[in-house]
Amino acid sequence: METRPSGRSWAWLLVTWAVTRAVLLLLVFRVYVVPGPDVTSDVSVIYRQWYDVLRQGTFPLDDETWQYPPVAALAILSPAVLPFLSYPHAFYVLAFLADAAVLALLVYTGRRPGRSARGAWVWTAGVPLLGPTVYARYDVMVTAVAVAALLAGVGRPRVLGALAAAGALLKVWPALLLAGAFRRRPWASAVVVAAGLTALSAVSMPGAFAFLSFQQERGTEVESLGALVFHVARHFGWQGQTLLNYGSIEFLGPYVGVVSTAALALTGGAFGWLLLWRLRATRTTPHTLADAAFTAVLLFTVTSRVISPQYLVWLIGLAAVCLCFRATRMAPPAVMVVVASLVTVLEFPLGFIHVVTSDWYGIALLAVRNGLLVAASLSAARRLWASTVAPLTPPTIPPQATRAKNTPVSS
C-alpha cells in the first residue's frame, strides 16, 4: 500500500531548509567566519573582475582562470538584476534563490502520485553539509537548470534537450543529462538550442571559446583521485610541489603528466562504458533518465583531473532527482554522496591546509571522500546496468536434440 508524506513531514522539511539556508547566508555574508581559506573570495575578487570585463563586451581573454563555456557569462553578470546590492551580496541572494527553486521543483514532484519526498530531503540535508562554498560558486545555478531538465524530461523531452544544452553551455557537465535519453526529440532540441546559443555567443562577444585552451592545460588538482598518488609520494621523497595553477591548487613536478593522462584515459573508459550501456539497455522506466544522468556525472567527476568541493552540489542535485522516484535503486550511492559532502567540508575549507601540505590527516580526508565517490560510482553503474540491461541467457537446446543425444547408439 502506497503511503504519501503528511503535511507535518512537509512542514518539517521546509523548516529544516529555512534554518540551514539561513546559516549558509550568515556564513557567506561573513557574519560568522568559517576557519580556513575565505571561500567567498571567488565571488568578491574573481567573479567581480570577470563581471567588469564582461560588461565591456568581451570575454576574459587574458585570464587563464576563465575556463567556462560562453553562457557562463550570464551567471557572472546576473547580480546586475539586483543593483541595490553590492556584487557579492547580490550573487549570494541569487544563489539562495536558485537553491529555493530546486527545492520547489523537488517538493512539487515529490507530492505527485508515485513520487517520494526523499529527493527533497536529500537536497535539504545534503547541500548545507558543503558549507558556504555552495553559495560562493555559480554551480548551484547550473544544478537548478539540470534538476529542472531531468524533472521535465519524463513528459517533455524537448524541454529536457533545451535545458541540457543551455546547462552544457553554462558548465559543460549538464550535457551528460542526455545519457539516458533514448528518443530523438531531446537530442534534436539540444542540437538546435546549442547551435543557436553557440552562434549567438560567437557573434556577440570575442573570445567565447578561449576557455577550451585553458582547460586543456590544466594539471592534477590536489583534491582529485589521482592526486592521492602524489600526496603519498611526498612522504617518500617525491620532489614536486603544489602551486596555484589555472585557478586551482595543482601538483607540478615529475610524473604529473603521466597521472593526468591516466585520468583522461579513465574518463575515456567511463565514456566507453556508457556507450556500451546504451547499446545494451533494453528496459527503461520513468526514472532511468535520472539514474543514467546521476551515474554518468559520478563517473566523469571521479575520473576528472579536478574534484572541486562545488562539484558535490551537482551530485546532490542529481541524487535528489533520482530519489524523487519511489522505484529508483540509487538510494545507496545517493547516501554515499551525502556522506562524501560532509567529509568534503572537513577537507575544504576546514582542513585545506592539511591537504595542501599532504600531512596524513589531509590524506585520510581525501582518501575517505574520494573513496566514497568511487564506491558511489561503481554502485550506481552496477545498479543502472542491472535495472536496464537484460541478462544474457544461454541458448536453449530443443527437446528432440536432447533425446537424440541421450539415445544409446547400437553397435
Side-chain angles (χ1 to χ4, degrees), residues 139 142-143 146-147 164 167-168 171-177 297 313-315 318:
D139 295 81
V142 184
T143 303
V147 168
K171 204 164 185 182
V172 181
W173 69 266
L176 296 171
L177 301 179
V297 176
V313 181
W314 321 340
L315 300 176
L318 298 182

Side-chain angles (χ1 to χ4, degrees), residues 13-153:
L13 172 76
L14 296 177
V15 169
T16 304
W17 183 88
V19 171
T20 55
R21 274 42 181 194
V23 172
L24 289 180
L25 287 173
L26 290 173
L27 294 177
V28 292
F29 277 89
R30 298 186 65 78
V31 176
Y32 299 102
V33 178
V34 174
D38 179 12
V39 301
T40 64
S41 62
D42 275 38
V43 175
S44 59
V45 178
I46 299 175
Y47 286 12
R48 180 55 197 262
Q49 290 176 352
W50 291 343
Y51 174 82
D52 292 336
V53 173
L54 290 166
R55 289 184 64 188
Q56 297 173 11
T58 182
F59 287 92
L61 300 177
D62 300 324
D63 190 346
E64 64 183 22
T65 62
W66 176 260
Q67 299 169 15
Y68 306 107
V71 178
L74 296 180
I76 304 302
L77 291 169
S78 62
V81 303
L82 301 175
F84 49 88
L85 294 175
S86 67
Y87 181 88
H89 291 176
F91 186 91
Y92 304 144
V93 170
L94 293 174
F96 167 81
L97 293 177
D99 181 358
V102 173
L103 179 71
L105 290 169
L106 294 171
V107 169
Y108 173 77
T109 302
R111 294 176 67 90
R112 298 175 63 188
R115 302 296 189 259
S116 171
R118 294 181 303 168
W121 273 110
V122 165
W123 180 256
T124 299
V127 165
L129 294 179
L130 290 169
T133 304
V134 175
Y135 286 174
R137 306 289 188 274
Y138 81 90
D139 295 81
V140 67
M141 303 174 185
V142 184
T143 303
V145 174
V147 168
L150 287 176
L151 293 177

Side-chain angles (χ1 to χ4, degrees), residues 373-396:
L373 293 180
V374 170
S377 302
L378 297 176
S379 175
R382 181 178 64 83
R383 291 168 183 276
L384 178 65
W385 187 280
S387 64
T388 56
V389 177
L392 294 174
T393 56
T396 57

